[in-house]
Amino acid sequence: MTTSVLGKPRSIGSVSILEDRSVLVDISVSLRTFKSPPIGANLLENTEAFRLQLRTSPYKNHPNRLDRILKFCQESEVGREEMKDVNIVTWRGILKKLLRGDKIELNVSKHGGTLYLEEYDRAPNVIHRLTGDGDVRGPKFEALCSEDPNYLPFNARWYSVMIVHLGHLKILYAGEVDCVEVNQHTETDERREFVELKSRPFGKSLNGMQDWFTQSYLTKVPKIIVGFHKDNHLHSLQTFVVPETLLPSPHHGAALGFLVQLIGHEDFTEEGNVVRVKFHKDVSKRSQIVLSAREKKAIDGGEARVGILPAWFLAQALSHDE
């Protein structure tokens, strides 16, 4: 019988995104170091430039394409080796939703026996100009937890690239990590642990902790620090330890069954097909269609793609196969 047990994630590398959106493989320049923030700090102070970027950025509230992960798979020697038997490539956020049985709509392509999953963007050309204080409190809290409390990175991110097994399926994915905490254990021994940062109103109940734990578990982040705010000022901090294993869930088995079914589905008999999969409440309640040529063109964004995959990635993959 096929097992639905979720294995232990392991890190195989990283990707840094710079402010100009350029991508660096296995260079941690965008990973910030944790520093305890000052209680009472104003979470709206010095955020004007960040707000302006929010109002004008074409990337706000749009899901990431797989291109950043694919660049890692192309440039990293470890990534190329792991890709030889990978079944699924996706983002952590998508994997988390599948494991949690959440609603999501995906575009899926298949190449060389591997499935590639990315989130469907319903309005890729829309600029989301509406902003509020809630859009800046979280980023400001993260800045206060770093070496430079006045620097609010807009595009800069650091992603850990991971491998996990779901049953017999090998899944490669990447997830953002907020910062790393460096503790001097001894004079010669330095311990580094990833930290997830969250911001919430003071006095509000913390619903959705299992969602946070799943997110952090998938990138081997051992603890979550929550900054509670009151009247737009940092009121207090609370630390939560992430469990070393996730509680078994029927959603894990349902996700495994869906992915196995999708890998062998006849919708992928033609190279370059894109399948739109919509989950209504959980992975057992879904619909899927093969996109028409016009629909595929609409998601290309004017770029050369085969299915959802960029042509440059496929060209490199073919050169390695020869």
Side-chain angles (χ1 to χ4, degrees), residues 43-317:
L43 296 179
L44 303 183
E45 190 176 45
N46 297 324
T47 59
E48 293 79 9
F50 187 81
R51 289 177 187 267
L52 178 61
Q53 286 180 296
L54 282 175
R55 289 193 295 269
T56 58
S57 172
Y59 305 108
K60 178 193 174 189
N61 293 341
H62 291 286
N64 287 325
R65 305 215 67 160
L66 289 175
D67 298 26
R68 295 168 174 179
I69 301 177
L70 300 180
K71 186 174 177 65
F72 171 86
C73 296
Q74 180 188 76
E75 294 189 4
S76 164
E77 183 177 348
V78 174
R80 291 195 299 270
E81 186 65 27
E82 294 283 0
M83 280 294 292
K84 290 179 180 179
D85 60 350
V86 160
N87 302 110
I88 310 287
V89 176
T90 192
W91 287 103
R92 175 188 61 183
I94 293 173
L95 179 58
K96 183 195 74 170
K97 288 187 176 183
L98 292 177
L99 294 174
R100 298 277 300 156
D102 296 333
K103 293 181 181 180
I104 192 170
E105 201 163 356
L106 303 175
N107 289 329
V108 184
S109 284
K110 184 179 179 182
H111 176 74
T114 301
L115 279 186
Y116 297 83
L117 286 64
E118 64 182 23
E119 190 168 352
Y120 169 48
D121 191 346
R122 286 185 165 274
N125 299 317
V126 171
I127 296 179
H128 299 274
R129 300 186 185 279
L130 294 177
T131 62
D133 291 345
D135 293 313
V136 299
R137 280 191 293 255
K140 180 63 177 181
F141 172 63
E142 292 182 10
L144 289 169
C145 293
S146 70
E147 312 94 303
D148 187 350
N150 292 316
Y151 171 54
L152 277 70
F154 191 75
N155 292 314
R157 300 284 187 275
W158 188 83
Y159 296 95
S160 184
V161 184
M162 311 292 296
I163 293 287
V164 75
H165 281 82
L166 180 62
H168 66 281
L169 296 183
K170 180 179 178 181
I171 304 174
L172 184 151
Y173 59 97
E176 182 183 352
V177 174
D178 290 328
C179 56
V180 62
E181 185 175 28
V182 180
N183 293 308
Q184 201 69 37
H185 182 52
T186 66
E187 289 186 3
T188 58
D189 181 16
E190 191 177 77
R191 291 187 176 178
R192 299 167 63 86
E193 289 186 330
F194 292 146
V195 177
E196 176 69 25
L197 301 172
K198 300 289 186 184
S199 175
R200 289 294 183 270
F202 176 72
K204 187 176 181 180
S205 61
L206 290 178
N207 297 322
M209 288 299 295
Q210 282 302 318
D211 189 78
W212 289 1
F213 288 155
T214 301
Q215 173 185 339
S216 294
Y217 173 84
L218 288 173
T219 38
K220 297 187 71 173
V221 175
K223 68 180 178 181
I224 302 168
I225 297 177
V226 182
F228 294 97
H229 56 82
K230 185 177 181 181
D231 299 327
N232 294 318
H233 287 73
L234 183 60
H235 179 275
S236 55
L237 301 174
Q238 187 172 357
T239 300
F240 296 89
V241 176
V242 178
E244 294 185 1
T245 58
L246 292 182
L247 294 174
S249 167
H251 295 305
H252 297 176
L256 173 61
F258 155 69
L259 292 171
V260 169
Q261 178 268 333
L262 197 59
I263 287 175
H265 203 278
E266 61 184 11
D267 286 344
F268 294 109
T269 53
E270 182 178 333
E271 180 76 13
N273 274 1
V274 177
V275 175
R276 174 84 38 79
V277 184
K278 182 176 182 179
F279 301 106
H280 302 277
K281 290 185 177 179
D282 58 60
V283 292
S284 64
K285 299 176 182 178
R286 64 182 184 273
S287 59
Q288 64 187 63
I289 60 170
V290 179
L291 298 192
S292 66
R294 179 181 62 81
E295 290 171 319
K296 282 198 292 184
K297 185 176 180 180
I299 66 172
D300 285 345
E303 302 169 342
R305 292 182 180 270
V306 179
I308 63 173
L309 302 177
W312 55 260
F313 173 72
L314 292 181
Q316 186 74 16

